[in-house]
Structures are given as structure tokens and as C-alpha cells.
Amino acid sequence: MDALYYSFIIPVYNRPDEIKELLQSFIAIEGDIPFEIVIIEDGSTIDCKAIVTDFETNLNISYYNKPNSGPGDSRNFGMQKAKGNYFIILDSDCLLPPQYLNVVNSELDKDYVNCFGGPDAADESFTNLQKAINFAMTSFITTGGIRGSKSKNQKFQPRSFNMGISKAAFEASSGFGNIHPGEDPDLSIRLTKLGFKTKLFNNAFVYHKRRISWSKFYKQVHKFGLVRPILNLWHPNSERMIFWLPSLFCLGLILAIVFAVFGNYFLLIIFGLYLTIAFLLALFQTKNFVIAIQAIFAIFVQFFGYGFGFLKSTFVIKVLKKKPETHYPNLFFKNAI
């Protein structure tokens, strides 16, 4: 295996402040491992060129501005321009802990894989809302660990906020498709089909500083729910029961309330126990009562947003036999390259 030279691929859309914080975290990266940063401005009306220029004396940065075509296509563009042989893809709202690159390099040196993913975490500086949503998005009790757990499952599907892919794997797969969200699991599944190994690097975490509100969070997870049946259609062998759990939670809770109206509280008690456990886990993890309360609300938003999106999309695709690209055009970008 040739010596690894890392290229960080970062698409950005109208978020110069995020790029400034992310580049500041690069300044603190530990070790002497060489790397470059490739920033792709995805048709922004508020660009980050001036901020990138401020960091060029301390960091090896390439900056490109292109028409808007979505994050997947922009990542492909960046990987085509990159000089490295191993690409690390980050969202612009992430921050790197100082040890990040040392951890990644050590993991690849110990057990080389052509694609890896890392978890996301909440930094102490994050708001209560960001920490609550981070809990809902990352806890095993809510996601089953599909976004990053201590499982040694070699078929882990990396998420593109924190994802590595070798140049060889990128060239063989042609990179990300034009669906969004969902472009990252789609690529991971295709890589597995091509014979490439994927793996979770538990300690290669990033701080994911989501710029989010309750309404934005609902829209985000609703889109996740809409996309999953499309991925199941494209990749039937990837279907898992866990994808149904948010929908079953929503339907079960409605049924529990109906039963309670008629004097049967058994199901409602079960849901109460689950939410109590979730609250205690959030309280233990965050050490903050307010965040733990918000985390429960975040779970409801996540499950109902994703769950009803999943049910709606499943009905449209499996029962009505609609073509996803035609029925959900807002989930697909037109490639610019």
C-alpha cells in the first residue's frame, strides 16, 4: 500500500461562519501527518472565499466555486480535484478534535479499509438544543446504533458528515449519486457490492455543530424517512427491520392512547418506561436536567418526522408503484459536472 496522503473534502453552501470554525479546528490538529483541505462552494450566494484566504498561510487549502448541484455532486467534484489518495469527507458544520487525524491514520495503519465512518459528538460549547438533538440522533436507544456504535459490524454504512474513502474506491464507484439526503448509505452499499470493506472507527469522532431548530430538525428527519424506502428499492438486500421502528413507535403510541381512553393502560405504561429510560440515559450523559427534557421532545420529533415520512414513501413506492425521481423531485439534484 502506498503512503497515505489525506485530502479533506468539504462542500459548503451559504455558511462562511461554519467554515471559519472548522478551519480553526484544523489549526489545532496534532501530529505531522500531511494533508490538504479542498473546499467546494456549492453555488453559494454568500461565499467563504475571504475566510479561506485568511487561513491559506497556515493550511494547505484549495478553494473551488461551482454551480449548485447538491452536496454529493460537490464532494465528487472535490475528490476529482484533490491531490491525495485517501479522501476524508466532512460537513461544514463539524469541528475536529485535535487527535482526529492521528486516530484515523492509526486505524488505517492497523487495519486498512477503503471506506470508514466515524461517530458525531456534542462539544461542551454547544447549545442545550444542539446537545438534546445530538442525543436523539446518536443514542443506541433511539437509532439502534446505525449512525455509529461500538459494534464491530464490518458492513457499517458511514455517514458523509464524517466519512473516509480511498481514491481507488471513489474511482470504482463513481462516488456519490444525486439523491439527497441518502447519498451516503447509497454509496456505502454500492461499495460493499463492489467488494470494498467499510468499517466504523469508534474513536474518530467529530463535533457535529448542527445549525438547527425544532422545525428544521423535523424537516431533516422527515426527509430521512422519505429516502429510506427509495434506498430499499434500489438495494433490496439492505432492508432491515430497524428502519421500521420509528413508524412502529408512532403507530404504537397512537394505539396506546386509544386503548387508554377505553381503560387499558398497558401499552401506555410500556411507552412510559421507554421514555423514562431515555430520559435517565440523557440525564446521565449530559448531566443536565433541561437537556434531558429536551432530548425526550427531540425523540418524539425524530420518530414522528422519520416514521411518517417512511410510511408515506413506502406506500408511494410499494403500493402506488411511483417512480421516486418523479414523485419526489426535491430529493434529487441535477449534476453540474
Side-chain angles (χ1 to χ4, degrees), residues 235-251:
H235 310 290
N237 291 336
S238 70
E239 290 193 59
R240 293 166 59 185
M241 185 61 196
I242 195 171
F243 300 146
W244 281 90
L245 291 184
S247 301
L248 296 176
F249 176 93
C250 299
L251 296 175

Side-chain angles (χ1 to χ4, degrees), residues 185-309:
D186 170 60
L187 175 57
S188 299
I189 295 167
R190 288 189 285 110
L191 287 172
T192 300
K193 290 179 179 179
L194 289 169
F196 292 104
K197 183 180 176 183
T198 65
K199 188 178 181 182
L200 169 67
F201 291 175
N202 287 306
N203 295 320
F205 65 89
V206 299
Y207 298 117
H208 202 172
K209 194 173 185 178
R210 299 174 178 90
R211 265 57 169 194
I212 205 160
S213 63
W214 289 120
S215 61
K216 288 180 181 178
F217 182 45
Y218 180 86
K219 290 176 182 177
Q220 180 187 59
V221 293
H222 186 71
K223 281 188 175 181
F224 290 162
L226 292 175
V227 160
R228 180 52 67 176
I230 299 174
L231 298 179
N232 291 345
L233 175 69
W234 292 350
H235 310 290
N237 291 336
S238 70
E239 290 193 59
R240 293 166 59 185
M241 185 61 196
I242 195 171
F243 300 146
W244 281 90
L245 291 184
S247 301
L248 296 176
F249 176 93
C250 299
L251 296 175
L253 183 58
I254 293 170
L255 189 63
I257 294 172
V258 172
F259 280 3
V261 170
F262 292 96
N264 188 332
Y265 297 98
F266 177 75
L267 270 180
L268 204 58
I269 291 172
I270 297 297
F271 278 95
L273 287 173
Y274 169 80
L275 294 172
T276 299
I277 293 171
F279 171 80
L280 292 174
L281 285 175
L283 185 61
F284 176 80
Q285 180 176 311
T286 66
K287 307 295 191 296
N288 187 299
F289 183 85
V290 174
I291 296 174
I293 291 293
Q294 288 182 312
I296 298 304
F297 187 67
I299 291 172
F300 277 104
V301 173
Q302 179 184 19
F303 280 6
F304 276 85
Y306 181 102
F308 284 126

Side-chain angles (χ1 to χ4, degrees), residues 49-110:
K49 183 173 177 56
I51 288 172
V52 171
T53 300
D54 289 341
F55 284 88
E56 285 178 337
T57 55
N58 295 310
L59 295 169
N60 179 14
I61 309 177
S62 299
Y63 174 82
Y64 300 94
N65 198 321
K66 52 173 279 298
N68 178 253
S69 59
D73 190 53
S74 296
R75 296 179 192 117
N76 292 344
F77 181 93
M79 288 186 279
Q80 289 173 356
K81 298 291 186 180
K83 301 178 181 68
N85 57 10
Y86 209 103
F87 310 132
I88 300 177
I89 298 159
L90 302 173
D91 279 355
S92 63
D93 60 354
C94 290
L95 305 173
L96 294 181
Q99 74 278 7
Y100 179 85
L101 193 54
N102 278 336
V103 171
V104 168
N105 194 64
S106 175
E107 290 283 356
L108 290 174
D109 184 59
K110 180 173 57 179

Side-chain angles (χ1 to χ4, degrees), residues 38-184:
V38 182
I39 296 176
I40 310 95
E41 196 85 65
D42 186 24
S44 300
T45 56
I46 309 171
D47 68 48
C48 61
K49 183 173 177 56
I51 288 172
V52 171
T53 300
D54 289 341
F55 284 88
E56 285 178 337
T57 55
N58 295 310
L59 295 169
N60 179 14
I61 309 177
S62 299
Y63 174 82
Y64 300 94
N65 198 321
K66 52 173 279 298
N68 178 253
S69 59
D73 190 53
S74 296
R75 296 179 192 117
N76 292 344
F77 181 93
M79 288 186 279
Q80 289 173 356
K81 298 291 186 180
K83 301 178 181 68
N85 57 10
Y86 209 103
F87 310 132
I88 300 177
I89 298 159
L90 302 173
D91 279 355
S92 63
D93 60 354
C94 290
L95 305 173
L96 294 181
Q99 74 278 7
Y100 179 85
L101 193 54
N102 278 336
V103 171
V104 168
N105 194 64
S106 175
E107 290 283 356
L108 290 174
D109 184 59
K110 180 173 57 179
D111 181 21
Y112 182 83
V113 290
N114 283 281
C115 183
F116 75 85
D120 52 347
D123 186 66
E124 281 300 315
S125 65
F126 287 9
T127 66
N128 286 353
L129 176 59
Q130 288 170 329
K131 292 176 181 178
I133 289 177
N134 181 78
F135 175 84
M137 293 290 284
T138 61
S139 175
F140 186 86
I141 200 172
T142 57
T143 65
I146 63 173
R147 291 179 58 89
S149 69
K150 296 186 181 299
S151 168
K152 295 184 179 180
N153 179 12
Q154 299 300 302
K155 294 183 179 180
F156 172 73
Q157 295 178 8
R159 296 298 192 267
S160 53
F161 63 83
N162 179 15
M163 176 181 186
I165 178 173
S166 69
K167 183 176 182 178
F170 166 65
E171 292 176 342
S173 64
S174 299
F176 294 95
N178 65 341
I179 191 171
H180 178 72
E183 71 274 16
D184 31 12

